[in-house]
Amino acid sequence: MLRDWFLPHKETHKKAHFLSWEGLIIYMMLFILLQVGFSLVSYSKPGVLGISSDVDVIKLIELTNQERQKQGLSTLSENEALNKAASLKAQNMFSENYWAHFAPSGKSPWDFILGSGYKFTYAGENLAKNFYNSEDVVAAWMQSPTHRDNLLSPKYHDIGIAVVEGVLNGQKTTLVVQEFGSTKTFVSSPTVSVGDRKVTIPKEEYNSKPELLAAVTENIPSKIQRSILKGIK
């Protein structure tokens, strides 16, 4: 009887079926099936569960400049070379299947910046993935000391951003790459700020980098997809 699944059996002194080992096995199987089902639906039909990404390059630049203005800093100008560098970096993360400032192949943030034709004196990079909107991205960067320092650095004059969607580690992912730079100040050794590191670029490496990006745009992921995971680097 149906009630036997929910109520103990007085006649046989047995537990309700839902409290038995058989019931627990059924729960586990149903849970696994539901998880697999949701994953398949989310993978094949992005957004079908009400999950979508509304991160916008123009909005990200606007919000970044708003935070800078609050601190009395100059606003950043959108730079096409830095936009290209950000796009190349995002494409490379999908191509090499990683999420970090440095690629498994050894490519560095300045490979992409210099490779785009932007000869910087100071540069920096912020990363984010799988945020639903631009406001949340900038808020997360502002809550992280290293990202905040980059975003509010008085050394930068230019900005470039890319928002690229694809598959990373088997998951539908939206990557945001924010590149900063300045070409207006003379320095003997150009410097890049990534995460908690400040890297000084040797002159010979600085001058040779544009040649390293020849193959970066190959194997660009063609699947445009989204996910619900969040993070910054």
Side-chain angles (χ1 to χ4, degrees):
M1 295 179 64
L2 183 60
R3 68 179 183 181
D4 293 339
W5 284 92
F6 301 94
L7 300 174
H9 301 248
K10 294 182 179 179
E11 296 82 359
T12 60
H13 304 288
K14 290 184 178 180
K15 295 180 179 179
H17 292 325
F18 272 132
L19 300 178
S20 66
W21 283 108
E22 294 87 350
L24 291 175
I25 292 173
I26 292 173
Y27 305 152
M28 292 175 63
M29 290 178 65
L30 287 173
F31 179 74
I32 292 171
L33 286 172
L34 283 171
Q35 278 198 320
V36 171
F38 283 133
S39 297
L40 289 174
V41 171
S42 176
Y43 185 87
S44 61
K45 295 183 178 181
V48 74
L49 299 180
I51 299 164
S52 61
S53 175
D54 189 29
V55 180
D56 178 74
V57 169
I58 295 176
K59 187 65 174 178
L60 287 170
I61 295 175
E62 177 187 328
L63 292 168
T64 295
N65 279 329
Q66 285 178 7
E67 294 296 340
R68 292 176 64 85
Q69 288 177 314
K70 291 176 185 177
Q71 303 300 319
L73 299 168
S74 61
T75 58
L76 303 175
S77 300
E78 184 177 6
N79 182 279
E80 284 304 315
L82 289 179
N83 281 341
K84 179 182 177 183
S87 179
L88 289 170
K89 174 60 179 285
Q91 293 165 7
N92 182 249
M93 283 192 283
F94 283 124
S95 179
E96 294 193 34
N97 197 42
Y98 72 100
W99 186 55
H101 292 291
F102 296 87
S105 63
K107 292 186 180 71
S108 65
W110 53 93
D111 285 340
F112 303 100
I113 298 173
L114 292 171
S116 71
Y118 188 89
K119 292 288 189 177
F120 62 87
T121 50
Y122 295 105
E125 179 179 88
N126 283 344
L127 304 179
K129 69 173 181 176
N130 293 326
F131 283 85
Y132 302 141
N133 57 64
S134 303
E135 289 81 2
D136 287 347
V137 175
V138 175
W141 282 334
M142 288 297 292
Q143 289 170 10
S144 164
T146 55
H147 296 82
R148 178 188 171 91
D149 288 347
N150 241 354
L151 195 144
L152 298 181
S153 174
K155 296 177 180 178
Y156 303 139
H157 297 95
D158 302 316
I159 187 172
I161 294 179
V163 180
V164 183
E165 297 175 319
V167 177
L168 189 69
N169 293 320
Q171 297 290 327
K172 296 163 288 184
T173 304
T174 299
L175 293 178
V176 181
V177 180
Q178 184 182 47
E179 304 287 11
F180 302 100
S182 177
T183 61
K184 298 180 180 180
T185 305
F186 175 78
V187 292
S188 57
S189 299
T191 303
V192 181
S193 297
V194 286
D196 57 355
R197 298 174 59 182
K198 292 188 184 299
V199 183
T200 300
I201 314 302
K203 284 187 177 180
E204 59 275 14
E205 186 177 0
Y206 180 88
N207 293 327
S208 67
K209 285 303 181 184
E211 301 175 3
L212 300 180
L213 289 183
V216 168
T217 56
E218 296 178 5
N219 302 318
I220 297 172
S222 59
K223 250 183 178 177
I224 305 301
Q225 300 175 320
R226 299 179 175 91
S227 183
I228 61 173
L229 301 177
K230 296 185 177 182
I232 57 174
K233 277 191 180 292

